[in-house]
Amino acid sequence: MAIVAQSGEETLRVLLEWFEKNKVTYNEEAIKVVTQQQTQGGSNIVSPNGIGIVAKRALIDEEPLVMIPKCAVISSASSALANIFEDEGLGGSLALCITV
């Protein structure tokens, strides 16, 4: 299977569609999901064809920024292999790497 590189804009579109489908929300008044941008000094905020998060204003300590439903979290416990991990005593990073 060939891997096709996507533009940052296409990756962002796919991510935002996934957010909507999986009911992931974020505080749009506080943060923004962005594609590659440059600062006034010329350095990149996000790598080429990548996406990132930038603050739109000063953030408040412990302010909720993203709400991710449990069903949208990728974890070894929620994977189709969860019973095998448990039977074999596998957990932590190894189980997560296999899951992803």
Side-chain angles (χ1 to χ4, degrees), residues 56-75:
K56 295 168 75 174
R57 59 170 172 74
L59 302 178
I60 302 166
D61 284 347
E62 299 187 29
E63 172 182 15
L65 298 174
V66 180
M67 303 298 286
I68 304 171
K70 189 173 184 176
C71 63
V73 175
I74 298 171
S75 75

Side-chain angles (χ1 to χ4, degrees), residues 19-32:
F19 279 4
E20 187 174 330
K21 178 181 174 186
N22 290 282
K23 298 181 177 27
V24 174
T25 59
Y26 61 95
N27 183 338
E28 294 183 45
E29 293 177 6
I31 60 174
K32 181 177 182 181

